[in-house]
mmCIF file of all heavy atoms in Angstrom:
data_model
loop_
_atom_site.group_PDB
_atom_site.id
_atom_site.type_symbol
_atom_site.label_atom_id
_atom_site.label_comp_id
_atom_site.label_asym_id
_atom_site.label_seq_id
_atom_site.Cartn_x
_atom_site.Cartn_y
_atom_site.Cartn_z
ATOM 1 N N ASP G 148 -18.708 9.375 -9.081
ATOM 2 C CA ASP G 148 -17.262 9.173 -9.201
ATOM 3 C C ASP G 148 -16.936 7.696 -9.027
ATOM 4 O O ASP G 148 -17.539 7.004 -8.234
ATOM 5 C CB ASP G 148 -16.513 9.958 -8.129
ATOM 6 C CG ASP G 148 -16.480 11.450 -8.439
ATOM 7 O OD1 ASP G 148 -16.764 11.792 -9.603
ATOM 8 O OD2 ASP G 148 -16.181 12.235 -7.540
ATOM 9 N N SER G 154 -16.070 -4.120 2.181
ATOM 10 C CA SER G 154 -17.043 -4.389 3.233
ATOM 11 C C SER G 154 -16.815 -5.784 3.810
ATOM 12 O O SER G 154 -16.388 -6.694 3.082
ATOM 13 C CB SER G 154 -18.478 -4.274 2.686
ATOM 14 O OG SER G 154 -18.693 -5.214 1.662
ATOM 15 N N ASN G 177 -8.455 -3.730 -14.725
ATOM 16 C CA ASN G 177 -8.143 -5.143 -14.896
ATOM 17 C C ASN G 177 -7.483 -5.728 -13.640
ATOM 18 O O ASN G 177 -7.717 -6.861 -13.271
ATOM 19 C CB ASN G 177 -7.192 -5.343 -16.072
ATOM 20 C CG ASN G 177 -7.907 -5.153 -17.399
ATOM 21 O OD1 ASN G 177 -9.066 -5.513 -17.552
ATOM 22 N ND2 ASN G 177 -7.212 -4.575 -18.350
ATOM 23 N N LEU G 186 1.649 -4.418 12.007
ATOM 24 C CA LEU G 186 2.672 -3.560 12.600
ATOM 25 C C LEU G 186 4.053 -4.157 12.349
ATOM 26 O O LEU G 186 4.277 -5.350 12.558
ATOM 27 C CB LEU G 186 2.421 -3.471 14.103
ATOM 28 C CG LEU G 186 2.867 -2.181 14.785
ATOM 29 C CD1 LEU G 186 2.169 -0.978 14.179
ATOM 30 C CD2 LEU G 186 2.589 -2.249 16.281
ATOM 31 N N LEU G 192 1.477 -8.568 0.164
ATOM 32 C CA LEU G 192 0.547 -9.010 -0.867
ATOM 33 C C LEU G 192 0.039 -10.414 -0.584
ATOM 34 O O LEU G 192 0.834 -11.335 -0.376
ATOM 35 C CB LEU G 192 1.242 -8.955 -2.229
ATOM 36 C CG LEU G 192 0.424 -9.303 -3.459
ATOM 37 C CD1 LEU G 192 -0.724 -8.322 -3.646
ATOM 38 C CD2 LEU G 192 1.324 -9.319 -4.699
ATOM 39 N N HIS G 194 -3.054 -11.993 -2.487
ATOM 40 C CA HIS G 194 -3.442 -12.534 -3.788
ATOM 41 C C HIS G 194 -3.647 -11.367 -4.739
ATOM 42 O O HIS G 194 -3.868 -10.238 -4.305
ATOM 43 C CB HIS G 194 -4.751 -13.315 -3.703
ATOM 44 C CG HIS G 194 -4.632 -14.715 -3.167
ATOM 45 N ND1 HIS G 194 -4.097 -15.752 -3.899
ATOM 46 C CD2 HIS G 194 -5.003 -15.235 -1.981
ATOM 47 C CE1 HIS G 194 -4.135 -16.850 -3.174
ATOM 48 N NE2 HIS G 194 -4.676 -16.571 -2.005
ATOM 49 N N ARG G 215 -12.313 -14.425 -9.196
ATOM 50 C CA ARG G 215 -12.600 -13.230 -10.034
ATOM 51 C C ARG G 215 -13.593 -13.658 -11.119
ATOM 52 O O ARG G 215 -13.225 -14.068 -12.203
ATOM 53 C CB ARG G 215 -11.297 -12.734 -10.654
ATOM 54 C CG ARG G 215 -11.440 -11.393 -11.386
ATOM 55 C CD ARG G 215 -11.245 -10.234 -10.471
ATOM 56 N NE ARG G 215 -11.397 -8.945 -11.101
ATOM 57 C CZ ARG G 215 -10.402 -8.262 -11.678
ATOM 58 N NH1 ARG G 215 -9.194 -8.794 -11.750
ATOM 59 N NH2 ARG G 215 -10.632 -7.062 -12.184
ATOM 60 N N GLU G 219 -15.436 -6.242 -11.646
ATOM 61 C CA GLU G 219 -15.601 -5.313 -10.528
ATOM 62 C C GLU G 219 -15.221 -5.875 -9.166
ATOM 63 O O GLU G 219 -14.900 -5.113 -8.255
ATOM 64 C CB GLU G 219 -17.063 -4.848 -10.459
ATOM 65 C CG GLU G 219 -17.535 -4.024 -11.644
ATOM 66 C CD GLU G 219 -17.911 -4.887 -12.822
ATOM 67 O OE1 GLU G 219 -18.098 -6.125 -12.651
ATOM 68 O OE2 GLU G 219 -18.013 -4.352 -13.938
ATOM 69 N N LEU G 225 -11.155 -16.347 3.813
ATOM 70 C CA LEU G 225 -10.322 -17.060 4.775
ATOM 71 C C LEU G 225 -11.026 -18.387 5.024
ATOM 72 O O LEU G 225 -12.143 -18.426 5.543
ATOM 73 C CB LEU G 225 -10.195 -16.277 6.085
ATOM 74 C CG LEU G 225 -9.301 -15.043 6.086
ATOM 75 C CD1 LEU G 225 -9.879 -13.926 5.247
ATOM 76 C CD2 LEU G 225 -9.076 -14.563 7.521
ATOM 77 N N VAL G 235 -5.409 -5.806 9.350
ATOM 78 C CA VAL G 235 -6.193 -4.875 8.537
ATOM 79 C C VAL G 235 -5.943 -5.248 7.084
ATOM 80 O O VAL G 235 -4.786 -5.358 6.655
ATOM 81 C CB VAL G 235 -5.808 -3.405 8.786
ATOM 82 C CG1 VAL G 235 -6.665 -2.484 7.915
ATOM 83 C CG2 VAL G 235 -5.984 -3.050 10.258
ATOM 84 N N GLN G 252 -10.706 1.550 1.779
ATOM 85 C CA GLN G 252 -10.541 2.090 3.128
ATOM 86 C C GLN G 252 -10.068 1.052 4.134
ATOM 87 O O GLN G 252 -9.705 1.403 5.240
ATOM 88 C CB GLN G 252 -11.861 2.694 3.603
ATOM 89 C CG GLN G 252 -12.286 3.928 2.840
ATOM 90 C CD GLN G 252 -11.328 5.075 3.073
ATOM 91 O OE1 GLN G 252 -10.344 5.253 2.346
ATOM 92 N NE2 GLN G 252 -11.572 5.862 4.094
ATOM 93 N N ARG G 255 -10.902 -4.097 9.060
ATOM 94 C CA ARG G 255 -10.190 -4.559 10.263
ATOM 95 C C ARG G 255 -10.831 -5.856 10.709
ATOM 96 O O ARG G 255 -11.995 -5.883 11.100
ATOM 97 C CB ARG G 255 -10.273 -3.509 11.370
ATOM 98 C CG ARG G 255 -9.510 -3.901 12.628
ATOM 99 C CD ARG G 255 -9.497 -2.783 13.648
ATOM 100 N NE ARG G 255 -8.760 -1.620 13.169
ATOM 101 C CZ ARG G 255 -7.448 -1.469 13.260
ATOM 102 N NH1 ARG G 255 -6.703 -2.404 13.831
ATOM 103 N NH2 ARG G 255 -6.873 -0.379 12.816
ATOM 104 N N LEU G 256 -10.085 -6.959 10.624
ATOM 105 C CA LEU G 256 -10.581 -8.285 10.983
ATOM 106 C C LEU G 256 -9.924 -8.745 12.279
ATOM 107 O O LEU G 256 -8.693 -8.728 12.389
ATOM 108 C CB LEU G 256 -10.298 -9.289 9.870
ATOM 109 C CG LEU G 256 -10.712 -10.733 10.153
ATOM 110 C CD1 LEU G 256 -12.232 -10.859 10.209
ATOM 111 C CD2 LEU G 256 -10.137 -11.678 9.113
ATOM 112 N N VAL G 259 -11.006 -14.294 17.081
ATOM 113 C CA VAL G 259 -10.907 -14.577 18.525
ATOM 114 C C VAL G 259 -11.069 -16.064 18.802
ATOM 115 O O VAL G 259 -11.568 -16.819 17.952
ATOM 116 C CB VAL G 259 -11.959 -13.778 19.315
ATOM 117 C CG1 VAL G 259 -11.702 -12.290 19.152
ATOM 118 C CG2 VAL G 259 -13.367 -14.154 18.889
#
Side-chain angles (χ1 to χ4, degrees):
Chain G
D148 285 344
S154 61
N177 286 324
L186 209 59
L192 183 63
H194 280 286
R215 188 88 181 270
E219 295 81 16
L225 286 68
V235 180
Q252 293 294 90
R255 182 174 295 275
L256 177 68
V259 297

